[in-house]
């Protein structure tokens, strides 16, 4: 069977999630740059986001779909709990990250530092201040996902943790995010557990 290809920049949270998924499953993959906002990009991802994915004649977008395919199609430890309650709780958080938490923590907070820095500009303090309440609120909400155990879905790492890890790493790059995480002891315990895994270290290593 052909090689798995992920399309998107290595520093993107969602690309990191998909790469951690490949690494945890032991699936070798290549990472291709996205043909930024072009017709080619739209043919891979109608909303021109990342990651996109190719495996043989299968093309996918949306990280959860990509990871679920990798989980089901390849050998290696299962990342979706078989227990229906655990699977539902995990899916609840994956959906909440996609619908609310990525925006409050990354798009409307961390990227207000990252994008200006990339352009050699100063961060927009007003935009950062405006994003703080929702970032702090949602980091605290993520903390509750880890109140009962180190892993979101119970006994072992699951897809939900793969969505949380890059977000926690990205938020912790900036002072208010570090402070918010520091006051969340359950999430901090989970972040320590993520950081101890080779997969997490590999995708968060400086480029
Ligand atoms: N729901 C999508 C979200 C993908 C997404 O928003 N990716 C970000 C990078 S982490 C992106 O493409 N940002 C560029 C943009 O918003 O134009 C998924 O699960 O894959």
């Amino acid at each position: 069977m052909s090689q798995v290809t992920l399309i998107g920049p290595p520093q993107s949270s969602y690309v990191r999630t998909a790469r951690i998924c490949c690494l945890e499953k032991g699936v070798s993959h290549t990472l291709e740059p996205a043909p930024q906002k072009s017709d080619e990009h739209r043919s891979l991802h109608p909303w021109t986001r990342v990651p996109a994915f190719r495996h043989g004649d299968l093309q996918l977008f949306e990280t959860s779909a990509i990871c679920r395919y990798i989980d089901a199609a390849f050998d290696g430890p299962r990342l979706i709990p078989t227990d229906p309650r655990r699977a539902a709780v995990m899916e609840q958080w994956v959906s909440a990250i996609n619908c609310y938490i990525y925006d409050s923590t990354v798009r409307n907070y961390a990227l207000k530092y990252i994008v200006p820095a990339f352009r050699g500009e100063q961060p927009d303090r007003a935009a950062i201040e405006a994003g703080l309440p929702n970032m702090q609120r949602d980091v605290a909400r993520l903390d509750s996902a880890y109140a009962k155990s180190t892993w979101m879905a119970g006994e072992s790492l699951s897809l939900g943790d793969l969505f949380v890890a890059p977000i926690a790493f990205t938020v912790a790059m900036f002072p208010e995010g570090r402070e918010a995480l520091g006051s969340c002891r359950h999430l901090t315990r989970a972040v320590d557990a993520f950081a101890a895994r080779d997969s997490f270290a590999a995708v968060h290593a400086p480029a």
Side-chain angles (χ1 to χ4, degrees), residues 56-93:
D57 61 1
L58 177 68
Q59 208 171 279
L60 291 171
F61 55 88
E62 290 298 302
T63 308
S64 182
I66 293 167
C67 292
R68 282 170 181 277
Y69 171 72
I70 293 167
D71 190 44
F74 293 91
D75 291 337
R78 292 306 305 260
L79 296 170
I80 313 287
T82 48
D83 176 71
R85 288 171 177 247
R86 288 184 175 182
V89 168
M90 186 205 78
E91 184 54 33
Q92 158 192 283
W93 285 108

Side-chain angles (χ1 to χ4, degrees), residues 113-181:
Y113 282 101
I114 293 169
V115 171
F118 185 72
R119 296 181 180 145
E121 295 167 5
Q122 289 302 310
D124 178 349
R125 279 309 319 168
I128 291 167
E129 297 294 330
L132 283 183
N134 286 350
M135 180 277 285
Q136 290 157 340
R137 178 200 66 194
D138 284 356
V139 167
R141 285 180 180 165
L142 272 182
D143 189 55
S144 72
Y146 291 93
K148 290 193 189 143
S149 58
T150 300
W151 307 115
M152 177 188 283
E155 284 153 15
S156 56
L157 182 84
S158 75
L159 180 58
D161 302 299
L162 272 45
F163 276 79
V164 173
I167 288 178
F169 171 87
T170 305
V171 160
M173 289 165 67
F174 304 103
E176 304 87 354
R178 265 196 299 282
E179 195 181 324
L181 267 177

Side-chain angles (χ1 to χ4, degrees), residues 33-46:
Q36 278 296 335
K37 310 291 180 197
S38 58
D39 285 346
E40 191 189 347
H41 193 174
R42 205 160 292 108
S43 74
L44 293 163
H45 194 307

